[in-house]
Amino acid sequence: MIGRVIKFHNSFFFVELDGQSAQLMPCSLRGLLKRDRRQTAVCAGDFVEITPLDDGSGVIKRVVDRKNFLIRPAVANVDQLILTFAAAEPDLHPLLLNRFLVLAEASAVEKIIICINKIDLIDDAAHFLDDYSNLYDIIKVSARNGNGIDRLRSKLADRVTVFAGPSGVGKSSLLNAIDPSIDQTVGSISDKIRRGKNTTRVAELIKFADGYLVDTPGFSAVELADLGVDEKNLAHYFPEFHQPSARCRFNPCSHSHEPDCAVKGAVDDGTILEQRYAAYVAMLKELKERDKKYD
């Protein structure tokens, strides 16, 4: 029998069979999977082959090959990733935004959307983050007053959609605004540190509009090395670098110190955003320092 892992709880993987999410089968692991100490050996979104047992539970025998995989949060077989940030409280930091975008690009997810929540808290909402609109689809919403929720909801049918982003940006609130029956626990912003308190502990697939929504634990840091990103391939995860990099004088080119670098030229003429390039340089430096440390 083949089913889809919906969630992991109390040492059991709950598997949906034949699209019947109301009758999830609790499953344990067998053999090599049980001996695999990686926390990502089986995760939400995986299609798995199971053997049913007489007591109504099952045993997972193997994981079907994944089409893609988000390592943090651990979710497999995703159709689209909605990177969720707040316009304010907490403020959007450009480097964090671009780290999440690298996470998305490195995970080979088909569609990437940037969602800006709490847009009601700023004055220049109409033009907020417009510089990124040529790179990614951007949806501006307010879970508080409902603005933009209909447009966001229209993107979700028939797809497995992961909402990911830092703590406190309102991912669970957005899911409640999209469909109040989801009834996710909503966190609050700590007045003391102005950061979000995590309310979602594990990734879980939630049935919605013939697809699934995935709320995920918030986090503020992404280890690039965990994604297989290194200083040699980092530029690959900046799509706007691809075309000009073919004209660089040197191949390979790190787009940092080399002369006649077409990527740096594109930054100078405004084709590539300075903010994006600055984030790239910061991440490149981080990766080089990490490699030097391990050497």
Side-chain angles (χ1 to χ4, degrees):
M1 300 176 67
I2 300 293
R4 187 198 301 260
V5 177
I6 299 300
K7 64 180 178 179
F8 175 75
H9 183 64
N10 286 346
S11 300
F12 282 94
F13 296 89
F14 289 83
V15 178
E16 176 187 87
L17 300 172
D18 301 322
Q20 300 298 317
S21 57
Q23 300 177 1
L24 300 180
M25 178 182 286
C27 295
S28 56
L29 301 181
R30 169 176 288 179
L32 292 175
L33 283 176
K34 189 172 184 179
R35 292 193 291 272
D36 192 333
R37 294 303 179 184
R38 294 175 302 159
Q39 292 183 341
T40 58
V42 182
C43 67
D46 272 327
F47 288 98
V48 293
E49 181 182 347
I50 65 173
T51 299
L53 303 177
D54 292 339
D55 62 1
S57 66
V59 175
I60 296 176
K61 297 173 61 178
R62 71 179 182 92
V63 177
V64 178
D65 289 344
R66 297 162 171 165
K67 71 175 183 180
N68 56 39
F69 175 61
L70 291 176
I71 193 169
R72 188 178 179 188
V75 189
N77 303 310
V78 174
D79 294 321
Q80 62 184 0
L81 179 59
I82 297 184
L83 297 178
T84 309
F85 298 88
E89 298 185 14
D91 292 339
L92 176 57
H93 192 285
L95 181 56
L96 184 59
L97 167 63
N98 284 290
R99 289 177 74 92
F100 271 89
L101 288 170
V102 169
L103 161 67
E105 295 284 355
S107 301
V109 177
E110 176 186 346
K111 177 70 173 178
I112 301 169
I113 298 173
I114 299 174
C115 178
I116 304 298
N117 189 23
K118 306 185 186 181
I119 205 71
D120 54 297
L121 298 181
I122 64 173
D123 295 329
D124 192 24
H127 300 290
F128 188 81
L129 216 65
D130 274 357
D131 288 344
Y132 282 71
S133 61
N134 290 330
L135 300 172
Y136 299 98
D137 190 6
I138 297 177
I139 301 177
K140 302 171 187 177
V141 302
S142 170
R144 179 182 301 174
N145 63 28
N147 286 346
I149 296 298
D150 286 343
R151 184 182 174 218
L152 178 60
R153 190 185 292 116
S154 71
K155 302 285 186 179
L156 306 176
D158 304 313
R159 301 179 73 80
V160 178
T161 302
V162 172
F163 285 77
S167 303
V169 300
K171 297 186 298 297
S172 295
S173 298
L174 280 178
L175 293 185
N176 286 337
I178 290 166
D179 183 356
S181 67
I182 292 174
D183 195 28
Q184 289 290 307
T185 302
V186 178
S188 60
I189 298 295
S190 167
D191 289 333
K192 182 177 180 180
I193 63 174
R194 309 305 293 173
R195 271 187 168 179
K197 301 175 180 178
N198 278 346
T199 56
T200 306
R201 300 302 180 188
V202 294
E204 176 180 349
L205 274 63
I206 303 165
K207 203 81 171 179
F208 179 79
D210 295 324
Y212 299 88
L213 306 181
V214 188
D215 189 15
T216 59
F219 60 98
S220 59
V222 181
E223 289 295 333
L224 297 174
D226 290 343
L227 309 175
V229 178
D230 57 37
E231 59 179 288
K232 294 180 181 179
N233 65 16
L234 175 63
H236 176 74
Y237 304 118
F238 287 75
E240 68 272 38
F241 286 17
H242 296 175
Q243 188 172 354
S245 65
R247 303 192 301 272
C248 290
R249 177 180 174 185
F250 295 97
N251 184 16
C253 179
S254 71
H255 315 306
S256 58
H257 62 278
E258 297 90 344
D260 300 325
C261 170
V263 169
K264 290 191 292 183
V267 176
D268 292 339
D269 66 24
T271 306
I272 292 177
L273 295 176
E274 289 187 16
Q275 189 178 95
R276 286 276 287 172
Y277 180 71
Y280 167 79
V281 171
M283 284 184 266
L284 184 65
K285 180 180 178 182
E286 173 189 330
L287 289 168
K288 287 181 176 180
E289 290 177 349
R290 177 186 179 279
D291 290 344
K292 187 183 299 184
K293 175 182 176 181
Y294 279 95
D295 287 342

